[in-house]
């Protein structure tokens, strides 16, 4: 299984809602990532988890809260988002966060904040 | 930190022609250079990568070349097919200044292959 899965595929939420994005991989990867991608732009790194611990936070606002319940799952909890947070949210995983390890990306969750 | 420039931003070719996309990077400590293809509605998929101890790598119709002295690397696609149409991103990793965990992406190239 060389796949990263993400749910939901699409999400529409109001600025006062709380929602969560989910990501799963069963490749035995110990590094997992959240990226944000705006239209016609490259992915921007948000968070890196290494061995289920948050190792990198790229100065992301606290309205985005990541969680790694186990080595296969990664969540992104959303609260009090702004319309400018609308984007494609990509999850990725790799064997480890260092070195030349391929990052496998999921299909993303298309988020719209009204 | 690392900065990756990618050109061209759009590229249109006829089916069967070759396509070349070029990237330059700023941090001479970067040592890993992957290329990703992103089709509409999908996440990026790795198509080829190269490490700094190699000058060229080929996989069927796709090849990547790396010039460490000039700090640039290029993607070459031969015998293009309509299914090659997508956005292509180059990236660099392994730079100095505490950013060696991070993939720094170029801005992307929209490749259109016309039948």
């Amino acid at each position: 299984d060389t796949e990263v899965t993400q749910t939901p595929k699409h999400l529409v939420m109001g600025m006062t809602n709380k929602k969560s994005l989910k990501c799963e991989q069963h490749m035995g990867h110990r590094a997992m990532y959240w990226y944000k991608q705006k239209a016609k732009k490259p992915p921007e790194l948000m968070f890196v988890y290494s061995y289920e611990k948050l190792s990198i936070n790229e100065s992301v606002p606290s309205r985005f809260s990541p969680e790694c319940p186990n080595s296969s799952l990664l969540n992104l909890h959303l609260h009090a988002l702004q319309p400018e947070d609308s984007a494609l949210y990509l999850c990725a995983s790799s064997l480890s966060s260092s070195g030349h390890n391929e990052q496998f990306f999921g299909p993303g969750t298309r988020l719209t904040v009204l | 930190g690392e900065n990756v420039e990618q050109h061209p931003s759009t590229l249109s070719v006829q089916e069967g022609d070759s396509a070349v996309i070029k990237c330059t990077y700023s941090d001479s400590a970067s040592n890993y250079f992957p290329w990703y293809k992103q089709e509409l509605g999908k996440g990026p998929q790795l198509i080829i990568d190269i490490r700094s101890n190699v000058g060229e790598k080929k996989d069927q119709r796709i090849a990547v070349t790396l010039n460490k002295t000039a700090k640039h690397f290029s993607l070459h696609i031969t015998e293009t097919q309509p299914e090659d149409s997508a956005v292509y991103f180059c990236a660099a990793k392994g730079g100095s200044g505490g950013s060696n965990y991070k993939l720094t992406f170029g801005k992307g190239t929209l490749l259109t292959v016309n039948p």
Side-chain angles (χ1 to χ4, degrees):
Chain A
D1 183 2
T2 59
E3 195 179 21
V4 175
T5 59
Q6 290 188 244
T7 55
K9 194 172 174 63
H10 301 276
L11 179 62
V12 179
M13 60 186 291
M15 290 189 285
T16 57
N17 292 158
K18 286 186 182 181
K19 296 286 184 183
S20 297
L21 309 185
K22 296 186 185 300
C23 173
E24 194 165 358
Q25 57 86 17
H26 295 286
M27 294 179 278
H29 289 174
R30 304 315 299 266
M32 296 185 78
Y33 311 78
W34 279 115
Y35 286 85
K36 173 183 178 180
Q37 187 177 27
K38 300 284 268 185
K40 299 187 179 182
K41 299 286 187 185
E44 294 175 42
L45 184 65
M46 300 174 72
F47 302 104
V48 180
Y49 271 83
S50 180
Y51 290 85
E52 300 156 52
K53 292 190 185 332
L54 182 64
S55 59
I56 300 291
N57 176 341
E58 290 280 296
S59 303
V60 179
S62 60
R63 57 186 184 269
F64 295 91
S65 175
E67 178 197 20
C68 190
N70 60 54
S71 60
S72 299
L73 294 174
L74 186 66
N75 298 324
L76 186 63
H77 303 297
L78 314 173
H79 173 54
L81 294 194
Q82 304 297 311
E84 59 264 30
D85 296 322
S86 298
L88 181 68
Y89 287 84
L90 294 162
C91 174
S93 71
S94 63
L95 274 172
S96 80
S97 58
S98 61
H100 306 147
N101 296 295
E102 176 183 353
Q103 286 190 24
F104 290 79
F105 283 84
T109 293
R110 176 76 58 190
L111 175 68
T112 302
V113 182
L114 302 176
Chain B
E2 175 66 279
N3 182 50
V4 177
E5 299 281 340
Q6 182 172 347
H7 298 281
S9 56
T10 61
L11 180 59
S12 182
V13 299
Q14 289 299 122
E15 183 177 359
D17 288 350
S18 295
V20 180
I21 303 170
K22 298 183 179 182
C23 290
T24 59
Y25 61 99
S26 60
D27 191 335
S28 56
S30 289
N31 54 20
Y32 175 61
F33 306 93
W35 286 87
Y36 285 88
K37 174 184 181 183
Q38 188 171 23
E39 296 174 281
L40 202 60
K42 296 185 178 180
Q45 299 295 313
L46 181 77
I47 55 171
I48 196 166
D49 57 13
I50 192 166
R51 288 149 176 76
S52 60
N53 58 347
V54 175
E56 183 173 1
K57 184 176 178 181
K58 193 171 181 181
D59 183 4
Q60 299 183 336
R61 297 186 296 109
I62 294 173
V64 58
T65 58
L66 171 65
N67 183 326
K68 284 172 55 180
T69 304
K71 290 189 284 188
H72 68 69
F73 56 114
S74 300
L75 178 71
H76 305 253
I77 306 174
T78 58
E79 300 171 24
T80 54
Q81 300 165 4
E83 50 266 38
D84 294 328
S85 297
V87 177
Y88 290 80
F89 291 102
C90 63
K93 185 173 188 265
S96 55
S99 63
N100 61 355
Y101 60 90
K102 185 175 176 176
L103 278 176
T104 300
F105 287 90
K107 291 189 175 180
T109 297
L110 174 61
L111 173 64
T112 304
V113 180
N114 302 301

